[in-house]
Amino acid sequence: MPTSLVIVESPAKARTIAGFLGPGAIEGHEFLVESSVGHIRDLASKQELPDEFRGEPWADLAINVYDQFKPVYVIHADKKKKVTELRRLLKQADELLLATDEDREGEAIAWHLLEVLNPPASMPVKRMVFHEITPQAISEAVANPREIDRDLVNAQEARRFLDRLYGYEVSPVLWRKVAPKLSAGRVQSVATRLVVERERERMRFRMASYWDIDGVFTRQTNSDRSFGASLVQVDGAKVASGKDFDHAGQAKVGVVVLDEAGARGLAGELLPQAFTVRSVERKPYRRRPAAPFITSTLQQEAGRKLRLSAAQAMRAAQTLYENGYITYMRTDSTTLSDTALAAARATIVERFGAQYLPDTPRQYTKKVRNAQEAHEAIRPAGEAFRTPESVAREVGTTEARVYELIWQRTIASQMTDATGETVSVRLGAIAQPSERSAEFATSGTVITHQGFRLVYVEDVDEGDAASGDDRERQLPAMAEGDRLDVVSLEPHGHETQPPPRFTEASLVKRMEELGVGRPSTYASTIKTILDRGYVWKKGSALVPSFTAFAVVNLLEEHFGNLVDYAFTAHMEDELDHIAGGDQELVPWLSEFYFGPPDPTAGGERRGGLKEQVNAQLDLIDPAAINSIPIGLDPDGVPIVAKPGRSGSPYIKRGEDTASVPDDLTPDELTVEKALELLAMPKGGRELGVDAATGHPVYAKNGRFGPYVQLGDLVDGSKVKPKMASLFKTMTVDRITLEEALELLLLPRLVGADPADGCEIVAANGRYGPYIQKNLPEEKKDSRSIDSEEQLLTITLDDCLVILAQPKLRRGQTAKLPLREMGIDPVSQKPMVVKDGRFGPYVTDGETNASLRKGDDVGTLSVERASELLADRREAGPAKKRPAKKAAKKAAKKSVKKTTAKKSAAKKSAAKKAAAKKVAVT
């Protein structure tokens, strides 16, 4: 019986496919399914470079730039055992099926496997491709293989070589001029520049104040319904809002900027006046659903709706794909297959009704800039979509939430438009005695058909305008000339806000708009700039470090083209041309590294990366590059921030220096703050002496913010003095000795739980103040508390009440029950109905049971609630996913198949045509 060896990248993917290709899948054929666990070889590092190449002028690069850019590939040390295993399995097979992902990365992995395994010339080698892991898709992939696409491999090699050349040539410049261990990269440096530029905008920003007036009105003929409206014009001139000010705090010409006195005075003059409806404009409201997910939009929405990082979203999607729940998650295409369209439409009719189904399927064909190979959009896998409820019982929490998001987006994309009517009303009055004409505006939207909104509404980033009015707000019927009474007029003061920092979601969106990098690499790019210390997180916002400022300063001034957004996007276009076979790898790399041919120099290449690095190295002034201007002190002396060679930032004024706390953002480092830090005694401020120990107590500023310290550090002693961070409401120059001694008592033993004797402590942690109960066997049960001040005052009774509440994720608030149902006769515990992710459910605190079709929250009886809980208890706990060890054992068992005779078919033409590389195995 003929046997095929199927090689994929991941063990999870191998397990899933092995289940589909088990005995009897194809009559008279057996399959061995094994994973390569990602790439098996790569460009050699300096340590891995074989001796035969050491001493070559290109040795550090592991790319012979002087001979057609031939690479030196080596098998990863941790993959040698895997390669041995794959070679052993290959001897048992008659055919090799390379089933890695259908993108450039996957194509390159397949080509490397072919080169390293080197199957006999008589063995057929085929490329097996699919975009979802379902029985039908795998069967079709086996029946319709293709050859390795050498153009895709060339495009991936070009990207890899370019990144090696860029990083290995530019990074040493950063080591010499900024700090050791830094790195530069084609995409990571541009991403860092985006974050730094946004912080520069915030540093240049100057706040402006303005006032407006909000009013509440009623119709004189129907006073039972009131509505709100805001002041928009005075004497025909627009009243200033936040968007009417520039970064310097200057208002646009022609707008009216109200101050507090002006707003209150105008409100007082308008309050006794009768208002009149000046205009009523009605427009039909229609909003189309968003397209199905592609890689970048999935990362953005997972960040906005689920608060997941790009890396977390992609890991969850990878797991879902490998286990057959969704289609391939690295895609730039919004297209849905006919199979997917049919599945989505069937789901809509079944779950929501035919009134939510358009007459014809919606087609989304637009691709993003620099779109890569065409796959389907990300959607639930299969000919019929599994429900979020069923998937949630089989996967982890994060994967369930991501699947639900993908399911909702896919279903919504095929539903009807949301329709209704939007009414815009202008109303006004003449203020007395000033005779100023004031005009207010309001609008309301009545959605008559929810359409896709029944399932999903796309979020927007902070600072972005919504694409439509998603809030349904109804106004009373009004006509031009109607008279209105004033219920209230409330002046409100506002301050302009700096442009919001990037979050992972908004950075992904901006990079996609610019065409920088690939959506499939955004998660790793963001992880890189975080790991390198170029960016850190404040909540969900990305904040650049002062090291990032120095790196971007250097690159902008001396290697401007390498961080130019258009240049970087153009490189992606060139890689597309290579993937399409319209551009050759070697000439393209030659132009980048050595420069274009110079006709005046006999065609010699000039102006490339290599020449730029050599020419600029001596021109870079480290002192200037590493100085980030803050401003001038009162005497006109410049104050600058510096990253420090060790990564600890500091400020400098002449010869005077002071450390910058690690949690201080660049836009918060104003001249005033810098002077405050510089004024601090270098040894800290002595507050007094602790009577209990006789040691002095200091208040200091450090890398991690202000703190108090008990005693001095003794030279040669490994015992550090006790320290405690200041509360956010405290400052070094105002804290008292008594307050410092209270801080030094933290963490504080509050008491012991009378029920079990376990101690409860109050402490300040990385994510804020919390209480913790120390359980047996070193287990802990903790809860966040509202303020740091509570750490010093919270009582044992308070702690017991808080610990009795269910544990919530950080930032999550507890939902109130929908209904209290009374006591369950079985458990003798109170039953309540709550709103869950998949709809309402009843719980007694131990058992949860979803309400079924026909159950209504408002009419649910105590008997019915108890019956649902009893049914759930009888069903037993939900099945858990198998443990990792058991899964690995099952995977190994699945690939042990009986060997059969080998086929004598000729080796594929693709392998014969493959270009040979310098390789060390």
Side-chain angles (χ1 to χ4, degrees):
M1 184 181 295
T3 301
S4 296
L5 173 61
V6 181
I7 303 180
V8 299
E9 299 102 312
S10 77
K13 191 173 172 183
R15 287 194 296 272
T16 306
I17 293 175
F20 300 149
L21 295 178
I26 296 179
E27 189 174 350
H29 204 108
E30 284 192 328
F31 294 90
L32 304 171
V33 184
E34 187 55 83
S35 70
S36 65
V37 195
H39 277 281
I40 58 169
R41 69 174 186 174
D42 194 8
L43 293 172
S45 65
K46 189 173 182 178
Q47 295 75 20
E48 296 172 319
L49 193 72
D51 292 340
E52 62 187 285
F53 300 117
R54 295 184 184 276
E56 296 287 349
W58 48 267
D60 286 350
L61 298 171
I63 301 172
N64 188 346
V65 295
Y66 305 107
D67 184 12
Q68 302 294 302
F69 290 85
K70 290 180 180 176
V72 178
Y73 286 121
V74 295
I75 297 173
H76 299 300
D78 59 345
K79 292 296 177 69
K80 289 183 178 180
K81 185 177 179 181
K82 172 58 68 175
V83 169
T84 301
E85 182 182 359
L86 291 173
R87 285 172 173 161
R88 178 183 61 79
L89 291 172
L90 189 64
K91 292 178 181 178
Q92 303 174 22
D94 306 293
E95 177 185 58
L96 176 61
L97 294 179
L98 299 168
T100 50
D101 292 339
E102 192 184 8
D103 58 9
R104 296 175 189 173
E105 191 81 16
E107 206 74 16
I109 293 174
W111 178 79
H112 281 290
L113 284 166
L114 180 61
E115 291 285 301
V116 170
L117 298 180
N118 191 26
S122 59
M123 178 179 287
V125 177
K126 300 173 183 177
R127 181 78 169 94
M128 175 179 157
V129 292
F130 43 86
H131 68 271
E132 63 180 353
I133 304 177
T134 61
Q136 181 182 0
I138 298 304
S139 295
E140 290 179 358
V142 171
N144 299 284
R146 62 168 172 83
E147 296 181 350
I148 288 178
D149 188 330
R150 186 62 187 144
D151 290 331
L152 291 184
V153 176
N154 285 340
Q156 181 58 30
E157 283 197 297
R159 181 191 299 277
R160 183 71 186 93
F161 296 175
L162 177 72
D163 289 344
R164 172 63 67 97
L165 297 173
Y166 188 124
Y168 276 42
E169 291 290 357
V170 181
S171 296
V173 178
L174 302 182
W175 305 341
R176 293 180 59 178
K177 303 297 183 179
V178 180
K181 300 181 180 179
L182 297 180
S183 69
R186 178 178 55 89
V187 179
Q188 64 160 298
S189 295
V190 174
T192 303
R193 183 189 177 196
L194 282 168
V195 179
V196 167
E197 283 193 335
R198 180 59 57 87
E199 196 71 14
R200 287 170 177 167
E201 292 179 45
R202 293 176 64 90
M203 294 169 75
R204 291 193 298 268
F205 172 80
R206 296 295 177 265
M207 186 187 70
S209 299
Y210 63 96
W211 283 69
D212 58 16
I213 303 173
D214 291 330
V216 178
F217 304 88
T218 61
R219 288 180 59 199
Q220 289 185 347
T221 57
N222 184 13
S223 60
D224 61 337
R225 285 195 62 190
S226 60
F227 64 93
S230 300
L231 179 69
V232 292
Q233 285 188 350
V234 174
D235 289 335
K238 184 180 184 297
V239 174
S241 62
K243 62 184 178 183
D244 294 313
F245 295 85
D246 62 19
H247 71 273
Q250 299 298 311
K252 294 177 182 177
V253 176
V255 300
V256 176
V257 181
L258 293 177
D259 57 14
E260 181 176 5
R264 294 192 183 281
L266 181 59
E269 291 183 358
L270 289 170
L271 192 59
Q273 310 306 318
F275 277 67
T276 304
V277 176
R278 294 181 175 177
S279 68
V280 178
E281 184 180 3
R282 298 178 182 276
K283 291 182 179 179
Y285 170 89
R286 178 176 292 273
R287 186 173 176 191
R288 290 173 55 83
F293 279 134
I294 57 175
T295 304
S296 60
T297 53
L298 174 61
Q299 291 174 13
Q300 292 170 50
E301 282 290 86
R304 298 181 190 120
K305 288 184 180 292
L306 307 181
R307 298 294 183 263
L308 297 178
S309 68
Q312 288 172 324
M314 291 305 289
R315 276 198 301 271
Q318 179 87 32
T319 300
L320 290 169
Y321 165 68
E322 290 175 348
N323 288 280
Y325 292 105
I326 65 170
T327 55
Y328 192 52
M329 67 288 158
R330 293 188 179 91
T331 175
D332 301 320
S333 173
T334 55
T335 302
L336 289 176
S337 67
D338 291 341
T339 300
L341 292 172
R345 289 172 67 82
T347 301
I348 292 166
V349 173
E350 179 183 347
R351 292 191 66 145
F352 306 105
Q355 68 270 32
Y356 292 100
L357 186 71
D359 293 336
T360 58
R362 293 185 183 274
Q363 299 290 342
Y364 297 90
T365 55
K366 181 182 178 181
K367 288 186 181 180
V368 298
R369 181 180 178 181
N370 285 334
Q372 201 175 295
E373 292 70 44
H375 299 294
E376 247 193 293
I378 305 170
R379 64 163 176 89
E383 297 179 344
F385 297 163
R386 275 171 279 198
T387 65
E389 297 88 345
S390 65
V391 171
R393 291 192 289 268
E394 301 172 2
V395 301
T397 302
T398 302
E399 287 77 13
R401 296 167 72 204
V402 171
Y403 180 85
E404 181 185 26
L405 195 69
I406 293 168
W407 184 91
Q408 289 174 334
R409 178 84 164 218
T410 306
I411 296 300
S413 75
Q414 293 304 312
M415 294 178 74
T416 51
D417 293 346
T419 57
E421 183 182 60
T422 297
V423 179
S424 299
V425 179
R426 291 291 181 112
L427 50 132
I430 304 299
Q432 297 297 337
S434 65
E435 296 190 353
R436 288 180 291 176
S437 174
E439 188 163 286
F440 287 66
T442 187
S443 64
T445 299
V446 177
I447 298 174
T448 55
H449 178 72
Q450 289 287 337
F452 72 91
R453 287 167 47 91
L454 204 62
V455 176
Y456 185 89
V457 176
E458 187 177 29
D459 281 0
V460 295
D461 292 310
E462 180 187 356
D464 286 354
S467 56
D469 187 356
D470 289 329
R471 294 172 298 175
E472 187 170 5
R473 186 173 55 215
Q474 193 166 1
L475 297 175
M478 286 181 281
E480 189 173 328
D482 284 355
R483 294 178 67 79
L484 306 169
D485 286 333
V486 180
V487 178
S488 65
L489 290 175
E490 293 290 338
H492 295 287
H494 306 275
E495 294 176 340
T496 55
Q497 299 297 314
R501 290 190 178 96
F502 284 111
T503 61
E504 289 200 20
S506 58
L507 182 59
V508 164
K509 181 180 179 182
R510 185 60 181 144
M511 292 173 70
E512 182 186 39
E513 289 171 348
L514 293 169
V516 172
R518 292 287 184 196
S520 59
T521 65
Y522 290 160
S524 60
T525 296
I526 293 172
K527 183 179 185 301
T528 296
I529 63 177
L530 286 166
D531 292 346
R532 292 279 188 269
Y534 292 144
V535 172
W536 55 282
K537 281 191 172 185
K538 185 175 184 180
S540 61
L542 299 175
V543 183
S545 65
F546 288 104
T547 300
F549 274 82
V551 168
V552 171
N553 286 346
L554 186 152
L555 294 175
E556 286 178 333
E557 186 172 338
H558 297 278
F559 302 97
N561 64 312
L562 297 183
V563 288
D564 179 79
Y565 304 135
F567 175 79
T568 307
H570 178 67
M571 283 196 288
E572 294 292 347
D573 292 332
E574 296 295 311
L575 288 168
D576 285 343
H577 293 319
I578 294 173
D582 302 320
Q583 176 99 27
E584 293 185 10
L585 181 152
V586 172
W588 183 72
L589 286 174
S590 297
E591 184 159 331
F592 171 76
Y593 191 69
F594 295 113
D598 185 353
T600 64
E604 182 182 351
R605 292 185 179 274
R606 290 184 175 178
L609 175 67
K610 181 70 173 177
E611 187 176 315
Q612 286 183 57
V613 170
N614 293 333
Q616 294 294 320
L617 200 54
D618 294 333
L619 302 178
I620 300 172
D621 179 5
I625 288 297
N626 289 281
S627 297
I628 297 95
I630 303 301
L632 303 176
D633 74 356
D635 297 325
V637 179
I639 302 175
V640 297
K642 288 180 168 287
R645 293 285 292 178
S646 65
S648 301
Y650 64 96
I651 50 174
K652 185 174 183 180
R653 178 187 57 180
E655 296 302 315
D656 195 9
T657 62
S659 295
V660 176
D662 278 4
D663 61 350
L664 189 70
T665 62
D667 71 330
E668 293 172 341
L669 186 56
T670 61
V671 170
E672 294 74 19
K673 183 64 178 178
L675 292 173
E676 177 188 322
L677 294 172
L678 288 165
M680 283 295 303
K682 295 299 180 279
R685 174 175 160 243
E686 186 170 348
L687 304 178
V689 176
D690 174 26
T693 63
H695 294 316
V697 179
Y698 303 96
K700 298 183 176 185
N701 272 310
R703 262 189 84 183
F704 305 106
Y707 66 99
V708 290
Q709 176 180 311
L710 177 62
D712 296 297
L713 180 63
V714 179
D715 291 341
S717 173
K718 295 183 179 180
V719 180
K720 292 185 178 180
K722 185 167 185 181
M723 302 173 188
S725 296
L726 267 62
F727 290 169
K728 290 181 175 61
T729 54
M730 299 174 174
T731 59
V732 170
D733 57 334
R734 292 192 181 92
I735 189 172
T736 65
L737 175 62
E738 291 73 21
E739 290 171 331
L741 292 174
E742 284 188 312
L743 293 178
L744 289 165
L745 290 174
L746 296 175
R748 178 171 73 93
L749 175 62
V750 180
D753 187 340
D756 52 25
C758 293
E759 291 183 343
I760 299 173
V761 297
N764 221 345
R766 180 179 178 186
Y767 300 114
Y770 67 98
I771 57 171
Q772 178 176 286
K773 183 176 179 180
N774 297 319
L775 301 170
E777 299 180 5
E778 298 185 358
K779 294 180 180 177
K780 297 176 171 62
D781 185 20
S782 60
R783 299 288 188 281
S784 295
I785 56 178
D786 295 333
S787 69
E788 291 175 311
E789 284 71 15
Q790 281 184 279
L791 294 171
L792 306 175
T793 60
I794 195 166
T795 65
L796 178 60
D797 288 340
D798 294 334
C799 292
L800 294 175
V801 170
I802 294 171
L803 288 166
Q805 302 300 316
K807 184 175 286 191
L808 303 173
R809 292 189 298 273
R810 189 158 50 97
Q812 185 183 14
T813 56
K815 289 183 179 179
L816 294 175
L818 300 177
R819 257 189 83 192
E820 295 182 357
M821 299 300 302
I823 301 299
D824 177 29
V826 177
S827 67
Q828 292 300 308
K829 294 186 177 182
M831 299 182 294
V832 294
V833 179
K834 292 186 174 183
D835 188 18
R837 190 187 313 131
F838 304 116
Y841 66 97
V842 63
T843 179
D844 64 352
E846 292 182 351
T847 305
N848 301 335
S850 297
L851 269 61
R852 298 176 188 170
K853 190 174 183 180
D855 290 330
D856 180 74
V857 174
T859 60
L860 189 71
S861 66
V862 174
E863 293 75 15
R864 176 58 177 161
S866 180
E867 180 186 346
L868 291 171
L869 289 174
D871 289 347
R872 188 70 191 86
R873 291 189 196 100
E874 187 178 347
K879 291 182 179 179
K880 295 183 179 180
R881 297 177 67 189
K884 287 185 177 180
K885 286 185 179 180
K888 285 183 179 179
K889 189 175 180 180
K892 286 184 178 180
K893 190 175 180 180
S894 69
V895 297
K896 290 180 179 179
K897 306 289 183 180
T898 306
T899 60
K901 285 187 175 181
K902 296 183 179 180
S903 169
K906 292 184 178 180
K907 190 173 182 180
S908 73
K911 186 191 171 191
K912 289 183 179 180
K916 292 293 179 181
K917 299 292 181 182
V918 179
V920 178
T921 58

